[in-house]
Amino acid sequence: MSELESTAASIVRRLRDAGHVAYYAGGCVRDMLRDVEPKDYDIATSARPGEVQRLFPRTVAVGAHFGVICVLDRAHQFEVATFRSDGAYIDGRHPQAVTFSSPREDAERRDFTVNGMFYDPIAAEVIDFVGGRADLDRRLLRAIGDAESRFREDRLRMLRAVRFATVLDFQIDPATWEAVRKHAPEIHDVSAERIREELVRIFLHPHRVRGLDLLDQSGLLAQIIPEMIPLKGCEQPPQFHPEGDVWVHTRRMLELLPATVSVPLVFSVLLHDIGKPPTFSLDPAEGRIRFNAHDKVGAGMTRDIMERLRFSRDEIEATVEAVDQHMVFKDVQNMRVARLKRFMARPTFEEEMELHRVDCQSSHAMLDNYDFLRARQEEFANEPLIPPPLIKGDDLIAMGWKPGPKFKEVLDAVQTRQLEGTLTSREDALEWVKAEFSSR
């Protein structure tokens, strides 16, 4: 038994010793029955919030109105919630009122049957009022009770249905699925932050392609990122993209990603060609499909999408940079050394390399530019790509220069020659500046 589980069991035992009913609840029970180590343990009890606080010395009232107290024990936190039933939901997220109730009523208010079970760690017994264990055995995700009612109560549950079906690799019960499809337009009632959190959890999971398919087939993708829908049927030049349209290409790229990815990488894959539909044109002379400046247009669209979904500034900037730069890779073998080193020294370069790899492998399968860059990385490995500068602005001032826009031009020119190996010392750099730039 892990320390986490042992601590959770001790909390249940203390509640029991005080005369209360207490069980593990929700996702931890689902995971235990799947032989997966739970990441956390939630506890449901007959004890009221005040009673929980009196029993445990370190607590935080994270949602006392809803009967939820956070118990702090060692380095762990446990949500201890009083059994409850919910009143009417007026905002698509919160019940107007809650009534402390029984274990059965508490189970019946939850979202999906596989999340609605309890476990008694003292008796080592599953308490299942909603048929969750049978659905777990059938690998079925089914809403508890009436699916439409569950989704009207909290519309985020529609996205959670997609996430659970994705990460658990479960089928979705037909009635539950139809309710998702029917109510998908109501996802706009959910905050952008909560939507983003679910999308991230879907696309960071190795089953992300299934997640994309479910988002699309449910109608949720059209509501959340409508810019992706025109990728379907957006044809591409067959000599470069024999795999098919932009949607097929993007989906194939997701398949080729490694199991573990970052947010900027997976979202740059999803959005790297988002600018193709609005830039689609047919060259009348050659009869060839073109997407002029789709990388720049796509970078702007990516920024709009990620800002709308309230991604962090760092995630937005890294993803936009990857989309903006993804066509530059075709030119790397013709770059001068200084430009190549600057390109490779950017903090987003490694993830852009992975974007480039799956971009190529999902289409024409030519990895010559990727292999070229890997070889240059080995060649450049013994020294920093961007070494300390040979001279700085203070050196120009000492030479009698007045600070101004010319400084950047001169210092960039010196760095270019440093990167290319034609200037190797401070003295050489100063002499070169004196000879090359007469006006100050």
Side-chain angles (χ1 to χ4, degrees):
M1 181 183 293
S2 69
E3 180 189 347
L4 181 66
E5 183 179 0
S6 175
T7 307
S10 71
I11 292 173
V12 169
R13 190 171 290 106
R14 183 177 296 185
L15 287 162
R16 290 284 188 85
D17 289 346
H20 304 291
V21 177
Y23 304 129
Y24 297 160
C28 65
V29 180
R30 177 199 68 221
D31 290 343
M32 290 172 65
L33 293 176
R34 294 172 59 238
D35 293 323
V36 173
E37 181 71 26
K39 295 179 181 178
D40 51 45
Y41 286 82
D42 291 340
I43 295 163
T45 180
S46 60
R48 300 296 175 93
E51 294 170 318
V52 174
Q53 289 177 303
R54 283 191 292 274
L55 281 172
F56 298 94
R58 298 173 59 218
T59 63
V60 178
V62 294
H65 176 70
F66 299 103
V68 182
I69 299 296
C70 184
V71 173
L72 311 177
D73 193 306
R74 303 176 199 174
H76 307 299
Q77 300 181 10
F78 302 87
E79 283 196 0
V80 178
T82 306
F83 296 127
R84 75 174 204 244
S85 58
D86 295 340
Y89 283 72
I90 57 173
D91 61 356
R93 180 181 180 186
H94 297 112
Q96 192 171 16
V98 300
T99 302
F100 297 134
S101 61
S102 66
R104 177 183 290 277
E105 290 171 301
D106 187 87
E108 289 172 347
R109 71 171 179 83
R110 294 173 181 263
D111 53 5
F112 304 106
T113 58
V114 296
N115 296 337
M117 295 177 283
F118 301 116
Y119 181 77
D120 182 345
I122 311 302
E125 178 185 7
V126 175
I127 296 93
D128 181 10
F129 299 107
V130 293
R133 192 157 196 174
D135 286 344
L136 199 65
D137 291 341
R138 291 189 294 167
R139 303 179 66 81
L140 184 71
L141 191 77
R142 180 168 59 90
I144 293 173
D146 178 63
E148 291 194 39
S149 297
R150 296 292 81 75
F151 296 144
R152 279 194 295 265
E153 289 166 355
D154 186 349
R155 293 171 180 89
L156 188 70
R157 286 172 172 169
M158 294 184 286
L159 267 178
R160 285 168 57 84
V162 170
R163 172 164 65 85
F164 286 128
T166 297
V167 303
L168 300 174
D169 195 22
F170 281 15
Q171 295 300 311
I172 300 178
D173 165 71
T176 301
W177 180 244
E178 285 308 309
V180 173
R181 288 169 52 84
K182 178 178 178 180
H183 292 278
E186 297 165 22
I187 196 65
H188 295 291
D189 293 340
V190 179
S191 71
E193 291 84 357
R194 296 179 80 210
I195 291 173
R196 180 203 65 233
E197 288 173 6
E198 292 297 325
L199 288 181
V200 166
R201 294 172 80 174
I202 290 167
F203 287 118
L204 289 187
H205 195 273
H207 297 162
R208 59 188 67 94
V209 175
R210 178 144 193 265
L212 176 66
D213 290 343
L214 290 173
L215 287 169
D216 176 43
Q217 295 159 12
S218 66
L220 287 166
L221 186 67
Q223 300 298 323
I224 298 167
I225 313 179
E227 297 91 338
M228 287 194 68
I229 304 306
L231 302 185
K232 298 178 189 178
C234 184
E235 298 301 328
Q236 305 184 94
Q239 63 269 41
F240 300 114
H241 288 279
E243 75 281 8
D245 65 23
V246 183
W247 176 268
V248 171
H249 171 62
T250 301
R251 189 178 181 280
R252 177 64 179 143
M253 287 176 67
L254 286 178
E255 290 176 339
L256 292 169
L257 284 172
T260 301
V261 296
S262 68
V263 168
L265 175 56
V266 75
F267 277 87
S268 67
V269 167
L270 279 171
L271 303 175
H272 78 290
D273 277 347
I274 200 79
K276 279 189 170 178
T279 60
F280 178 95
S281 67
L282 196 61
D283 188 316
E286 301 179 13
R288 176 180 158 182
I289 295 170
R290 295 191 180 278
F291 303 102
N292 294 331
H294 81 272
D295 46 350
K296 307 304 178 187
V297 172
M301 295 173 69
T302 296
R303 183 178 298 280
D304 290 343
I305 291 165
M306 296 187 76
E307 287 181 347
R308 184 172 75 224
L309 291 171
R310 302 290 195 272
F311 280 85
S312 74
R313 183 55 50 193
D314 287 347
E315 289 169 339
I316 293 171
E317 295 306 325
T319 310
V320 169
E321 176 77 357
V323 174
D324 182 72
Q325 296 290 311
H326 82 275
M327 293 300 293
V328 177
F329 280 79
K330 65 181 174 54
D331 301 322
V332 293
Q333 296 189 53
N334 297 318
M335 287 182 182
R336 292 183 61 176
V337 171
R339 185 187 175 200
L340 181 62
K341 286 184 174 181
R342 289 185 179 116
F343 182 69
M344 295 173 65
R346 294 172 304 119
T348 54
F349 176 72
E350 269 306 318
E351 298 227 308
E352 290 178 30
M353 278 285 281
E354 187 63 11
L355 171 64
H356 176 67
R357 180 186 71 81
V358 297
D359 199 2
C360 295
Q361 289 185 329
S362 65
S363 52
H364 50 68
M366 294 183 290
L367 290 171
D368 51 322
N369 291 322
Y370 180 87
D371 293 338
F372 168 82
L373 287 165
R374 287 297 183 214
R376 297 313 293 266
Q377 281 183 314
E378 291 186 17
E379 180 184 336
F380 299 149
N382 293 328
E383 58 186 32
L385 283 169
I386 306 295
L390 295 175
I391 63 172
K392 299 181 179 179
D394 289 346
D395 295 299
L396 298 182
I397 293 172
M399 292 168 61
W401 288 58
K402 293 181 179 179
K406 192 77 171 177
F407 271 38
K408 184 178 187 308
E409 177 189 345
V410 173
L411 295 176
D412 283 351
V414 170
Q415 185 191 61
T416 295
R417 283 152 184 81
Q418 179 186 8
L419 294 176
E420 293 179 347
T422 58
L423 292 176
T424 58
S425 70
R426 179 173 180 274
E427 291 72 22
D428 289 344
L430 292 173
E431 287 301 318
W432 182 81
V433 169
K434 289 176 185 177
E436 193 71 20
F437 295 91
S438 56
S439 62
R440 299 176 179 177

